[in-house]
Amino acid sequence: MVKFIHTSDWQIGMKGGGLGAAGEIVRRARIESIRNVFENAKVNGVDFVLICGDTFEHNMVSSDDVSAVVTIFNEYRDIPIYLLPGNHDHLGPGSVYEREIFSRVENLTIFQSAESIVLGDVTLHPIPVGSRFSGSTKADDFRDVRGSPGIQIGISHGSLIGGFGVAEGIDLPIDPVCVDTYGLDYLALGHWHSYSSFPDSKGIPRIAYCGTHEQTKHSERDAGHCLLVEILEKGASPDITSLLCGSLAWESMDFLVKDRSSIDELTESLKEKRSNDLFHLKLSGNLDVKFKEELDALLKYQKTEFKDFKLNTDSFRYLVPLGPDVVVDHSDPTLNLVEMELRRLASQETSEKRAAVIEALSLLQTLSREAEQ
Amino acid sequence: MKLESIKLMNWKQHSYKYIEFDDKATVIYGSNEKGKSTIFEALHRGLFDSYKSASKGVRKIQPLNAIGRVSSSVGITFLVGDEKYLLEKTFNHNAGSTLYRLGDEKIFLGEDKYADQFVLDLLEAEMQKGKSKGQSNWGAFYWLWTSQDKRELPKDGDVGALKLDQVEGNVMMTPKLDKVRQGFEKRYKIFYTNTGQQYTHSPIVETKEKLEPLISERDGLTLRLSAVEIHQQDLNSRLEELPRFIEGLEHSKEEHKIAIEDSRDYIKIKADQETSEAKIKEIHGALNEANDALSRLKAAASRIEGFRSDEGKLRDKLIQAEVKGQRIEDNLNKFTQRIDRNSDKLGKIDELLADARAQYTITKNKKDQEQVIAKINEIEEIENKINELQSGSRELLVSEVELLKLEQDDITLKIKKQTLEDAGLKIERIAGSKGSLEVNLDGNKLGNDTGTATSEVIVSHNEFGEVIIQADLEKAQDIKRELELLTRRIKDTIDSNRVNSIPELRIIFSENEKINFEVSTLSAKRSGIDSKSLDLLRSELMITKEKADGYLGLERSEYVVKNNPLDENLGSLLVKREKERRDTESILSELREERDKIREEREVSRAKTTELNVTRDAIILQTRDMEKTQQELFQRFGSEKMQSEKIIAETERLNAQLEKKAELERQFEEYKEGPLATIQRLENSMANQEGIIQNHRAAIEQLRGKIIENSLDGTYSRLSKIESRIESLKERQKTENIMADAIKLLKKVLEARYKGNIEEATKPVKLDAAEYLAYVTGNLHEEVELNDKLFPVRLGERGLSELALDYEDGSSGLREAIGLCVRIAIAKNLCSFDSQCLILDDPFVHVSADRSMRIIELINRIVDETGLQVLILTHRPSEFTGLTGKMIDIQS
């Protein structure tokens, strides 16, 4: 029997594209969440922790990032760690694993080759990535262990052919039949950021992506987890449990704006989302420009409520009515004429310039209101 | 709006007052505290105050003698457009308000607050607000109804905007618009400068400045990453290629080994070649040695022969030089003899020349002495005559000019004396006075008085009484003093010349003139003989005599007596002897020069002979040295013949070895085409392969080093952080750009509307106000400038804009006049869309009479032109007699 934690794609030092200022928050959280992985390992009394590639985003990550990871490894020196280099932190000249600091981690084994490692009743079959340019199928590197005793665990990093219905154009392709062909009890994979498991020819889930331990972007599913894998004996069905380890709460919300009352509804909805760290709000619909100041104030306030607040207004538009029914009353004829002129411009301008016209209108209304106070 | 009447009850000093206003102008006059301003107060409280107002001002309306709660009421009849209204309003006790429309019937329109609001709506005014509630607006009445307390025009922010154009709704600058513009300007300045340029510290610029270095660093890091990836690819490629190169080299080495096995004969030929070459080298050595010895022997013989030949030539030259030296010596002797002869001849000539010179001098001195003695005698005779003449002359201390002047002064003196006497004037001088005058009439002295003043004397006359004689006594005194001076000068001259009169002086002077003439004639004659003095002539005579005497002692030799005959012309003889001497000297000089040249030639010849002797001795020594060397060579190498035979033998040996070498080379060439070429090719190939492998390994190490170096720097982590920052800043930049564009757009629209609306609306009022002020001040202040709230800001320029007069610079009278002109201008313009009522409470406080008169003329004109109604409240009715309308005594 073997019990281990399957984790991957920590991608320490990642850019966090699209996150802007929140990038630094996410980068810090990714390091902190490693502790959660090991806490899960410790609580569950695992035999080892298996890291299936891309521990680091790049071989050229800073010494600080490497040092932070190594520090955590050393904090859990009782737990053996088996680390597979991925396509981001591949082996070869300049590999991050050539750095001297790794030689000081006693409980860490870095798979430098495809040589199998026997741990009592369990044999680990790693296929480390030697170059990010290799791109060839690595599944052929497994040995046929169908007749070998003990639990056989394959460890690789790449894209499972047909995994998400994509057959061509994937990088580091892995053929799922290798599990049956070579007699693996479990194929621990890294590369994809969402948790997924796949069955062998008998329908037993033997292939799994654990996903990244900390969510990277709003579009990822079931990220922020690691897997607790338990296999009783050779040929037994692996018991796979997803354990939460991500420290940041990500949330996305779509909201349709209909009229002024939508602002109140949105205010209430956002109150309920306060527990999240990184929040993405996608607005759609229309709103009269006279309520812009109010909506702006609400959205501005939200930026202080979350660690990161992203707003998408691609499908949202301010309405700028123009016509005899429109009542413009600044108690000043000149200001009234200015507003009418801006409204007329708003109906003519393209979307890019319209944003400035809308802002000018809003500013006029703000100034008018301030003048009355 | 126009007022028709007002009725007051229990309103301050008016228990009851009813006034009907003229359609054009009404002047309500009266003494102080008679309730004129109360009429004004009743009008604006009636129309604009709430009926239920309990303000202090409203409570003070009740009469002073009132006891308990009193109702104070006002009834105002007014016209708005064509409609007539009656407003009845009661304050304090039983407060209430009622509005009626008056026509054929009296129609109730509303009461209390409805009535109040109705009125405000009619008048387009707002209810007055307390100070704490900010600005109030009671329409045009702020400008048209001028109380004593508010003579100045409303300033910025005091009141709301005036609606100047009913159709377009154009107004002047409103306080709100002003605030909006101020608020906008603050925001505008965040992004732009006054000239519309982007402000250097605007958020956009700051964000850009933050972004630029980050982008630059990002690009640098990205390039670094790309470079590492390229290095990585290159490294992989090289690592894959390296085993292939090594394998190729090993293959070449195997081939090389086989080729070496196939070329064993080549080694023997190579060894024979080397032996043959060594022998050839040895023979070449022997040959060189023999040739060297032979040439040295030949050279020694040749040089000895050469030295001997040179010595013979020198010997011939030496003989020739000695012959030439003898010839020069002979020539020199000849010249020496000629010089001696000419020297003797010159001695003789000198003797003759000295004698000729002595004889000539003796003869010449004798003649000269005779001539000098004759001159001395003649001069002594003339000088005796001159002395005799001069002894007959008398010495005078006066020149001819002075004598003439003396004669003229004498005549002048006489004339002036006569003239004074003829004029009846006798001038005397009394000591200490300015001067005195005796006046005679027909020779009789007038009166006893003698004037002593400077300008006039008064004398008495029996017939004429007291006569004032005016005379320039100073001048008279001057004339007198002049006459005295003349008299004294004439006398002094006569005395000094020891004569009795001027004519006597003239006679003596004439005689002296004659003597002087004769003396000068004789003196000229004496000078003609000789200008030298007698003493000098006598001294010269003595010298000449002594000189001649010196020659008299000389003895003449026989030779001299024979050759210098004294009966000849001694002068010609002397010339002849001098010429002979010069000729002889010339010949002697030429001979000496020639002799010196020959001497120099002799020196050169002697030096040449010496040199030839030295050279010849040196050659003889060299010949001996070379003969010694030749002897040594013979002992070492033998004869030339022996060396020649040796050379022939060694040459034969060399030819034999060369033939052998040629054979070996031919055999070598045969191998070169075969196995040797293969070996060479393989060796070249192996060297290339080894070079490639070496380069490849170096490149691999270099790439490995570069990759590791970049990896350790943490380039990627830094890039991650920078990209997050760039992303964040770009997001901000986008928002800032939109805001900046929005501000620019708002400014553009706001300014356009501002110009098109406010400027247009206020323009007619500004023009009218300027025109009126020009009229009132006699064109002194036609450049008054009003702001967009129709408040005067500048009074005009004084040549330079920075010295323009501000409104505050104006006098109280001018400011009052400006206020009135602006109010009249506003009233005139408002009349274009409704009738208006202008109320002025005591308007002329500071304005001078001439200007107040023009203002009244102006009001009359506007009233006629526009139908404006005017109400004046004053305690000086005489100022308004020119106003067309009616006058009401408030006390009547």
Side-chain angles (χ1 to χ4, degrees), chain B residues 155 309 416 773 799:
Chain B
K155 279 190 182 176
S309 167
K416 281 192 176 179
L773 190 67

Side-chain angles (χ1 to χ4, degrees), chain A residues 13 18 20 62 99 330 332 372, chain B residues 174 176 235 711 717 720 723 727:
Chain A
S62 71
R99 299 190 194 183
H330 288 287
D332 183 282
E372 282 172 4
Chain B
T174 64
K176 178 169 182 179
L235 179 63
S711 301
S717 294
S720 299
E723 285 197 344
E727 211 170 82

Side-chain angles (χ1 to χ4, degrees), chain B residues 366-376:
Chain B
K366 203 173 182 179
K367 282 181 185 172
D368 289 347
Q369 283 173 44
E370 285 169 1
Q371 282 176 359
V372 171
I373 289 165
K375 273 186 190 176
I376 289 168

